[in-house]
Amino acid sequence: MGLYIGDKMMKYEEWSKLAIKVSKASLWMLHFCTGCGAIEMPPVMTSRYDMERFGIAPMATPRQADVLLITGYLTVKTLRRVIQVYEQMQSPKYVIAFGSCTINGGMYWDSYNTIKHLEKYIPVDVYITGCMPRPEGIINAFIKLMELIDEGKARGWEKYQKYYDKYKENQRRVFNFEIEGENEEY
Amino acid sequence: MDVMGIAIKVALLTAYAVIGTCVGLLFMGIGRKIIARVHNRVGPPFYQNFIDVAKLLSKKTNISHGWIFDLALLFSISGILLTLLFLPIGGVQLLSMEGDAFLVLYLLAIPALGFALGAGASGNPNAGVGVMRALVMMLSYELPFIITLIALMIYYDTTSLATIVRMQSINGVKSWAITMPPFMLAAFAADMALQGMLMEQPFDIPVAPHEIASGPMVEFGGKYLGSLMLYKAIALVAETTLFVDLFLGGGVVAHGNFAFVINFIVWLALIFLLFILSILIAASFPRFRIEQAFGFYWKYEAIIAAISLIWVYILVIK
Amino acid sequence: MLDIIFAELIIAAIITFFVGKKIASIIAGFISILPLFALIDWANNFGFKTISFGIERQMNISVAGITLHLGITPLSWFFALMILPLFPLIMLYSYSFFKENDGFYPFMLFAFASTFGILLSKDMLSLFLFWEIMSWSSFLLVYRSRDKEAIISYLIFSVFSAFAILFGLMILWHENFSLLLSDIGRINGIYGFIAIASLIIGFSVKSVLMPLHAWAPFVYSKSDEPFVAFLSGGLSKLGYYGMFLFLFTLNGVKILQNYTPNVAWNYLLAVVGSLSAFVATMLAIMQDDLRKLLAYSSIGQLGYIAIGFGIGTPLAITGALFQAFNHAFFKAVLFLAAGAVAYRTGKWKISELGGLAYRMPLTFLAALFAIFALAAIPITSGFAAKWLLYEAAIQQKYVFIAPLMLIAGVGAFLYSFRILYGVFLGENRYPDVKEAPKSMIAAMFILMLPLIIFVVFPGYMLDLMKPALSNSGIESIAHTKFAIETSLAKYNSMAVLITLIAAMVPAFIIYKARKHRITSFEDNYLAGEPYEFHNPSMHAAHNFYKPLKGVVLPYFEPGATYYFEKIYKGIGILSNGIRRIYTGFVQDYAIYVVIFLLAVMGWLIWM
Ligand code: SF4
């Protein structure tokens, strides 16, 4: 194993005003197209809703991205990949979760193989309600995220570092096997 | 050279390095805006790329895959700055008297090789494939470009870019190479090669984000990606300037007082036009496959370039 | 003194037959330093102030009424400068390369002694004599590979080359009745033409010029690496030494020109050289065997020298000699690095290697630097040589040669990166491999020194070749310590290096401004897939240039190699036929004798 190597603890306060301003204005996203929500991404990117005007651009890999979009329900198998991708992103990093599936399981509330509360496994900064959220909702979520960054409230990545053991504990419970690596840094 | 002279020279070179970076980032932003307009979108603000670079450089954490990975950062920026300073820009010679077009061709390889080393060092298979594609692209577009370069060189009987610019600026616009029929063909071929050099569509095969997860850049984030964006910005300026120096007289139209300012503005306008041209081509074409790109350059473009070379050769021999 | 050096080389060769591996390599290494003292001493002759050891410049050896004239000339001094230093370093390398002394050292010393002899020869007899010793000792070294194709092809081509050279020399002797090389200039007409042409053909076998290159991929890829490093780095230069000697120093160009005033023979040589550079580069891109790749790359890089000789202007010849000098060192380093990799991993296929850069960092650095020189990146002296050749082609308006040369230069990036990525970067496949032994590393790093010295001071290189050029009536081109100037442009290596270092500053600031954390290879983005689920391999080096394969290869594959394979087959069949003569019956042999006598008698009567 030995995959998950986290980042050093980083204080939000160490961050300069300018850095907050620029990081707010250029959110690069990695759309992890899991559930139904992926279908809402093309309209958001293309001419009708055009998210690029806010400086939001799609990226190909987690190394380059700032925002992870979880577009819908997650099976246990996918969750493993999501966590891997999330840990490969560079802080500061944010998570936006789509739809009721990520909040409480949505219409899969009694399914045996999906996870019900995404919050338990990775820290979510912004939720979008709805099944499925409209593109306006997605853009709204990004604006909200920008506000949160500005106010210093989008601290999911910090939370993840702080409560790393707890998150790992939860993750381990779903996977039923050891996924933790040598993580002295967390 | 005395101390003062050296100091002035260093200041000039630094100034041009900064100008080149800023102009490149600005152009990239404008390019995004234009593509957005072509797509009937609003697009990001024109200064978006400055923000992007600043954000990348201010990332809290960065991942490296070892010291060879870091070579990408070190060599990409330094190599491309070096290339830029060996080009005459808007009639200002900078260091172009100390080298020539061949040197520039090989200097352009330094950042590319550093970048390729870093990408390979990450060990990501996508990066390996991406670099392979980039190198095949390089082999493809260099053939027509080299042939047109040779056509210019034998016509002006020099390999020095500074001399080529000087000879083209004798009568202002009338003596630009592109006004001569054989060089019109050559300029067409070279412009297509430029499209490949800039890695714009339809030749963005090496970085194809949807096929190979942005290819060589797959493991680059934070300061590494930021430095690569800077590299791309400066490369844009350097490569368009190379074209302007070769075919458009380096943008030199005026002599005498204030010529410096006028030439600078003309140069800026010309590289901007070239960039817009390439952006418009990029906005309207899908991506080639790598074999198709190779065939395109080695068959059609090379033949066009070869015709111009033969034409020029006949002119020169007579 | 000179005869003592020769005697010691020969005695050492004989001694190394009988001693163990370590002692043999130490003896060979130290004995082969001796000629370097001679080189340093002789430098005084050509305007360089050095230490004098009192080694004579001329020597005549009389054996059984035949006199061998030996002596140093400016040309041979320059070539000795690039060939002879390789040898002690290769011996240093082989100290840890070989497991036991199984006949490598004696033949290697014979090859070395005869190389020294070839360079010192002043008459045809000694030239041919040493050439044959060199060919045969190197053949015996090739024979160690036990590879049929390599042995047969090397044998056939060596014999062909020797015959062509002998033929040329005999015509020259017949016309002049003088064995001294300096008398050749007097002949003219058809005989002179044939002699020079056959000499060039003979020499071009050793210098692996297409289409006479066909032996090289087999031999280079099968023999011991230290020998191949010497073969490619050193012995191939002997072919060009011969070409230069007969074309320029002895004015072969004039002889050719006088006979056929309307045909530009040197242009033909340049075309052959540029095709050789281009085709071999394209083939090198497609190779998966590390040694074959390097072999084709050698053919390509040596093609540039032929281009330079073909163009024949002072600029071009300077470039060609510079390229020869660089090639001797960087190709030796590359072959030695390949040998070091194989020594540790036992693999030759590029697609089976990978990730060695962090395991063998010094080997990687040496190979990287050599590759910079090969690809003519302006931070090594490789660039100045190529630049001179490009300038020369443009100056002469050779519009066919120049694009081929330049595109071959671009192709060099492609196969260089195949080596870098496939062998040293990419997936970490050999986590337990150790760095190569110290003696190997030392040898490679010392071989890199000239490449560094002459990028900082390219002018010194031109100074070194000045005596050789002026002796052949070629003026040397304008240069200072740091800059070379031609009628077309100027190349100032100092400006490049200083600006590069200055431009490193902003890069370094960005690098240092933010901390980074080094992560493991396993922590790679694979679309979220955990690494351990990836089986078996993530190394993208297999079939690396696949897109080019369908486009390029069909045009080059059935080239010269194909026909030469036919020739091998033909010769094999012929030899089998001839062998039947030896039936083993005494009566048959008696009949042969009778037939022979009758034939002789018949011939006498007819006369
Ligand atoms: S919330 Fe609705 S639309 Fe979204 S993933 Fe769940 S079921 Fe699909």
Side-chain angles (χ1 to χ4, degrees):
Chain A
M1 304 300 258
L3 302 171
Y4 301 112
I5 297 175
D7 308 317
K8 281 230 163 57
M9 268 302 264
M10 196 77 58
K11 289 267 160 13
Y12 189 85
E13 285 70 34
E14 287 171 15
W15 217 11
S16 72
K17 272 267 163 321
L18 181 72
I20 294 172
K21 281 270 173 310
V22 290
S23 101
K24 186 186 83 174
S26 139
L27 289 174
W28 288 357
M29 58 168 199
L30 180 73
H31 40 297
F32 200 93
C33 299
T34 53
C36 326
I39 205 71
E40 298 297 324
M41 289 316 292
V44 184
M45 283 185 247
T46 49
S47 51
R48 177 85 193 236
Y49 293 100
D50 183 26
M51 62 165 38
E52 207 186 0
R53 65 203 147 112
F54 302 112
I56 305 163
M59 280 292 136
T61 80
R63 300 282 188 216
Q64 306 163 351
D66 308 308
V67 186
L68 180 62
L69 304 187
I70 310 287
T71 55
Y73 62 84
L74 282 177
T75 62
V76 174
K77 202 173 165 188
T78 330
L79 181 67
R80 179 123 162 64
R81 275 78 185 162
V82 167
I83 291 165
Q84 165 111 6
V85 164
Y86 181 70
E87 296 196 352
Q88 278 178 343
M89 285 168 69
Q90 303 303 301
S91 350
K93 52 191 173 186
Y94 316 99
V95 178
I96 296 182
F98 282 38
S100 25
C101 279
T102 52
I103 301 174
N104 57 7
M107 64 187 269
Y108 299 103
W109 62 275
D110 58 350
S111 168
Y112 63 97
N113 66 348
T114 62
I115 53 124
K116 311 299 178 298
H117 304 283
L118 181 60
E119 185 73 57
K120 275 189 186 169
Y121 311 102
I122 51 173
V124 180
D125 292 290
V126 179
Y127 280 112
I128 314 171
T129 53
C131 175
M132 175 78 235
R134 296 266 313 151
E136 296 97 317
I138 296 170
I139 287 187
N140 213 6
F142 271 103
I143 305 283
K144 182 73 188 165
L145 180 64
M146 287 174 192
E147 277 169 20
L148 290 177
I149 295 171
D150 217 9
E151 294 162 13
K153 284 181 186 159
R155 294 186 181 199
W157 48 281
E158 240 183 66
K159 210 160 94 189
Y160 193 66
Q161 287 166 357
K162 206 163 164 192
Y163 301 110
Y164 187 67
D165 297 336
K166 303 267 163 31
Y167 279 113
K168 282 286 146 197
E169 185 66 43
N170 285 347
Q171 289 164 9
R172 205 175 296 132
R173 206 167 292 147
V174 245
F175 297 138
N176 282 329
F177 60 88
E178 193 71 19
I179 61 155
E180 202 179 9
E182 57 279 10
N183 258 320
E184 329 77 55
E185 286 185 338
Y186 269 121
Chain B
M1 228 197 290
D2 56 327
V3 181
M4 204 54 204
I6 291 175
I8 289 173
K9 189 122 197 170
V10 169
L12 187 74
L13 294 180
T14 319
Y16 268 91
V18 174
I19 289 172
T21 317
C22 292
V23 166
L25 285 175
L26 188 69
F27 279 13
M28 280 165 80
I30 296 174
R32 278 170 78 175
K33 192 91 187 162
I34 289 170
I35 287 193
R37 295 311 299 155
V38 172
H39 291 173
N40 196 11
R41 288 189 285 126
V42 178
F46 68 90
Y47 51 80
Q48 181 64 41
N49 277 52
F50 289 95
I51 297 179
D52 287 349
V53 169
K55 179 208 70 182
L56 286 170
L57 296 184
S58 72
K59 273 277 201 188
K60 289 265 172 196
T61 56
N62 298 286
I63 289 289
S64 166
H65 279 271
W67 58 273
I68 304 168
F69 192 76
D70 300 343
L71 290 184
L73 194 162
L74 294 173
F75 273 105
S76 59
I77 292 189
S78 58
I80 198 68
L81 279 178
L82 179 64
T83 316
L84 183 73
L85 297 180
F86 271 83
L87 291 167
I89 295 178
V92 180
Q93 285 180 347
L94 300 180
L95 289 173
S96 61
M97 287 309 279
E98 308 293 325
D100 66 349
F102 292 130
L103 182 67
V104 168
L105 273 190
Y106 276 91
L107 288 182
L108 268 175
I110 293 182
L113 209 64
F115 186 16
L117 277 178
S122 73
N124 199 305
N126 285 325
V129 175
V131 174
M132 180 275 282
R133 290 181 177 198
L135 285 168
V136 174
M137 271 304 293
M138 187 167 162
L139 184 70
S140 317
Y141 67 70
E142 287 283 3
L143 183 70
F145 190 73
I146 282 168
I147 296 174
T148 54
L149 199 62
I150 289 168
L152 278 160
M153 282 170 174
I154 63 166
Y155 184 80
Y156 291 109
D157 201 19
T158 178
T159 62
S160 160
L161 285 172
T163 318
I164 290 179
V165 167
R166 201 183 60 236
M167 284 168 135
Q168 292 189 27
S169 64
I170 294 169
N171 289 329
V173 181
K174 263 177 278 170
S175 55
W176 285 2
I178 202 160
T179 54
M180 274 170 276
F183 288 125
M184 279 177 199
L185 280 180
F188 174 71
D191 187 55
M192 286 296 118
L194 186 70
Q195 192 80 7
M197 264 189 221
L198 294 174
M199 276 194 210
E200 295 288 355
Q201 273 171 6
F203 303 113
D204 65 338
I205 312 158
V207 291
H210 309 102
E211 293 170 42
I212 49 172
S214 72
M217 297 187 294
V218 60
E219 280 295 303
F220 288 72
K223 63 178 177 184
Y224 297 94
L225 192 61
S227 70
L228 285 181
M229 272 189 81
L230 286 177
Y231 155 68
K232 214 174 163 221
I234 306 170
L236 189 163
V237 176
E239 282 153 4
T240 44
T241 305
L242 180 59
F243 184 93
V244 169
D245 284 344
L246 290 175
F247 292 101
L248 304 172
V252 180
V253 286
H255 300 277
N257 299 342
F258 299 110
F260 168 72
V261 181
I262 297 170
N263 291 339
F264 185 84
I265 291 168
V266 172
W267 162 76
L268 203 59
L270 285 175
I271 67 168
F272 184 65
L273 280 179
L274 271 176
F275 177 65
I276 295 296
L277 185 64
S278 106
I279 280 291
L280 290 180
I281 295 173
S284 36
F285 282 96
R287 185 157 54 233
F288 270 145
R289 278 211 321 273
I290 186 85
E291 307 93 293
Q292 291 168 332
F294 186 83
F296 174 76
Y297 279 123
W298 276 51
K299 279 187 202 138
Y300 308 111
E301 290 299 306
I303 286 170
I304 292 172
I307 290 171
S308 84
L309 175 61
I310 293 164
W311 195 339
V312 170
Y313 186 67
I314 292 166
L315 283 183
V316 170
I317 291 300
K318 262 198 259 165
Chain C
M1 277 291 266
L2 204 51
D3 44 353
I4 297 173
I5 291 176
F6 266 108
E8 276 174 354
L9 283 172
I10 303 295
I11 291 166
I14 292 165
I15 291 174
T16 47
F17 261 113
F18 304 108
V19 293
K21 174 215 108 180
K22 285 212 166 131
I23 302 170
S25 68
I26 291 169
I27 291 176
F30 278 103
I31 292 293
S32 55
I33 293 175
L34 287 179
L36 297 184
F37 288 118
L39 275 190
I40 294 168
D41 187 353
W42 289 330
N44 285 315
N45 255 20
F46 312 119
F48 306 100
K49 286 271 162 299
T50 54
I51 317 154
S52 177
F53 300 101
I55 299 171
E56 63 269 58
R57 269 71 167 152
Q58 309 290 342
M59 188 181 68
N60 295 340
I61 304 174
S62 294
V63 187
I66 301 164
T67 315
L68 301 182
H69 302 262
L70 298 182
I72 191 74
T73 62
L75 178 69
S76 54
W77 182 75
F78 180 73
F79 272 85
L81 210 57
M82 66 174 103
I83 299 173
L84 299 188
L86 294 178
F87 199 83
L89 293 169
I90 284 169
M91 284 299 133
L92 177 65
Y93 177 93
S94 64
Y95 177 77
S96 36
F97 187 83
F98 289 107
K99 300 274 183 292
E100 56 196 22
N101 183 7
D102 51 356
F104 172 79
Y105 294 100
F107 297 127
M108 201 66 185
L109 275 167
F110 271 122
F112 183 60
S114 51
T115 307
F116 194 43
I118 292 168
L119 291 172
L120 293 185
S121 306
K122 292 191 112 175
D123 62 322
M124 299 176 195
L125 192 62
S126 49
L127 180 70
F128 188 71
L129 200 68
F130 284 122
W131 188 270
E132 280 300 274
I133 298 174
M134 186 271 288
S135 293
W136 283 103
S137 50
S138 54
F139 170 72
L140 289 170
L141 285 164
V142 173
Y143 189 79
R144 282 163 48 79
S145 69
R146 301 286 190 277
D147 181 84
K148 204 174 153 206
E149 263 179 337
I151 294 167
I152 293 179
S153 59
Y154 191 72
L155 184 66
I156 293 170
F157 276 94
S158 286
V159 168
F160 172 74
S161 140
F163 272 131
I165 292 170
L166 185 62
F167 184 64
L169 291 178
M170 271 163 57
I171 295 173
L172 292 178
W173 176 77
H174 184 258
E175 290 296 293
N176 276 330
F177 285 105
S178 160
L179 280 173
L180 282 178
L181 287 172
S182 46
D183 292 340
I184 290 171
R186 286 184 281 144
I187 71 162
N188 253 325
I190 175 85
Y191 288 116
F193 178 80
I194 292 175
I196 296 294
S198 80
L199 279 168
I200 298 305
I201 290 170
F203 284 122
S204 69
V205 172
K206 257 287 155 339
S207 50
V208 288
L209 204 55
M210 275 191 181
L212 297 174
H213 70 287
W215 59 277
F218 302 118
V219 172
Y220 283 23
S221 64
K222 291 294 175 340
S223 312
D224 304 312
E225 286 315 294
F227 166 63
V228 175
F230 191 57
L231 187 62
S232 168
L235 294 184
S236 65
K237 305 299 171 306
L238 285 181
Y240 284 109
Y241 168 73
M243 272 193 214
F244 193 99
L245 185 71
F246 285 99
L247 278 181
F248 300 108
T249 310
L250 306 175
N251 252 331
V253 178
K254 284 260 171 55
I255 297 170
L256 294 178
Q257 225 83 73
N258 285 348
Y259 179 62
T260 51
N262 300 324
V263 188
W265 289 105
N266 51 348
Y267 187 73
L268 185 69
L269 184 60
V271 168
V272 169
S274 60
L275 283 176
S276 174
F278 176 66
V279 176
T281 302
M282 286 299 164
L283 287 175
I285 292 170
M286 297 302 161
Q287 304 304 318
D288 192 31
D289 186 321
L290 183 52
R291 295 173 293 184
K292 273 215 166 131
L293 192 157
L294 290 175
Y296 277 113
S297 128
S298 273
I299 299 167
Q301 296 297 320
L302 289 166
Y304 281 93
I305 309 175
I307 298 173
F309 287 175
I311 295 173
T313 57
L315 198 57
I317 291 168
T318 314
L321 290 184
F322 205 155
Q323 167 76 2
F325 189 91
N326 286 334
H327 182 265
F329 290 90
F330 69 67
K331 199 38 75 67
V333 174
L334 274 178
F335 272 115
L336 295 184
V341 166
Y343 178 78
R344 282 302 188 207
T345 62
K347 295 271 165 53
W348 287 112
K349 282 227 180 304
I350 292 176
S351 54
E352 288 173 5
L353 291 158
L356 291 175
Y358 292 118
R359 305 277 145 255
M360 309 171 77
L362 294 174
T363 314
F364 169 69
L365 269 184
L368 182 66
F369 199 80
I371 276 174
F372 279 166
L374 182 145
I377 302 289
I379 49 182
T380 69
S381 66
F383 178 72
K386 298 265 174 71
W387 182 79
L388 285 167
L389 288 169
Y390 297 153
E391 295 284 304
I394 298 293
Q395 201 180 37
Q396 295 297 304
K397 303 201 187 342
Y398 282 169
V399 289
F400 180 69
I401 293 163
L404 283 184
M405 258 160 103
L406 276 155
I407 203 72
V410 178
F413 293 130
L414 271 78
Y415 65 70
S416 310
F417 192 74
R418 189 169 192 160
I419 304 174
L420 285 179
Y421 180 75
V423 178
F424 292 106
L425 304 175
E427 187 186 5
N428 186 2
R429 285 195 173 171
Y430 296 89
D432 308 324
V433 160
K434 284 203 291 288
E435 179 58 278
K438 284 192 195 67
S439 71
M440 292 189 179
I441 300 289
M444 286 189 273
F445 272 75
I446 297 172
L447 282 172
M448 273 159 56
L449 283 181
L451 300 174
I452 299 172
I453 293 171
F454 294 117
V455 65
V456 185
F457 306 109
Y460 285 178
M461 184 78 246
L462 303 193
D463 287 338
L464 283 181
M465 65 178 74
K466 199 170 183 174
L469 293 180
S470 61
N471 186 43
S472 315
I474 302 161
E475 78 249 41
S476 75
I477 52 179
H479 64 274
T480 63
K481 233 184 284 176
F482 305 120
I484 308 173
E485 209 160 343
T486 71
S487 68
L488 305 176
K490 183 180 164 191
Y491 162 57
N492 187 342
S493 74
M494 210 57 190
V496 176
L497 294 176
I498 288 181
T499 324
L500 180 65
I501 291 167
M504 278 277 180
V505 173
F508 202 73
I509 290 172
I510 291 176
Y511 178 64
K512 277 286 164 202
R514 288 279 153 195
K515 281 204 287 289
H516 63 264
R517 183 166 54 76
I518 292 178
T519 185
S520 65
F521 161 74
E522 284 79 19
D523 185 20
N524 245 316
Y525 173 67
L526 301 162
E529 192 75 356
Y531 170 64
E532 69 265 22
F533 292 178
H534 269 264
N535 208 21
S537 168
M538 299 207 313
H539 203 44
H542 179 68
N543 232 340
F544 196 53
Y545 289 111
K546 186 150 181 278
L548 278 181
K549 210 167 189 175
V551 198
V552 172
L553 214 54
Y555 300 104
F556 295 117
E557 190 83 296
T561 320
Y562 176 77
Y563 295 103
F564 285 115
E565 265 161 18
K566 289 243 149 124
I567 294 175
Y568 303 146
K569 288 227 180 81
I571 289 181
I573 292 164
L574 193 70
S575 322
N576 258 338
I578 292 172
R579 205 191 50 196
R580 298 232 175 97
I581 295 174
Y582 299 99
T583 50
F585 294 112
V586 183
Q587 290 97 322
D588 288 350
Y589 295 141
I591 283 177
Y592 296 153
V593 173
V594 170
I595 289 171
F596 177 71
L597 286 177
L598 283 176
V600 171
M601 274 168 64
W603 183 63
L604 284 175
I605 292 163
W606 180 71
M607 287 291 282

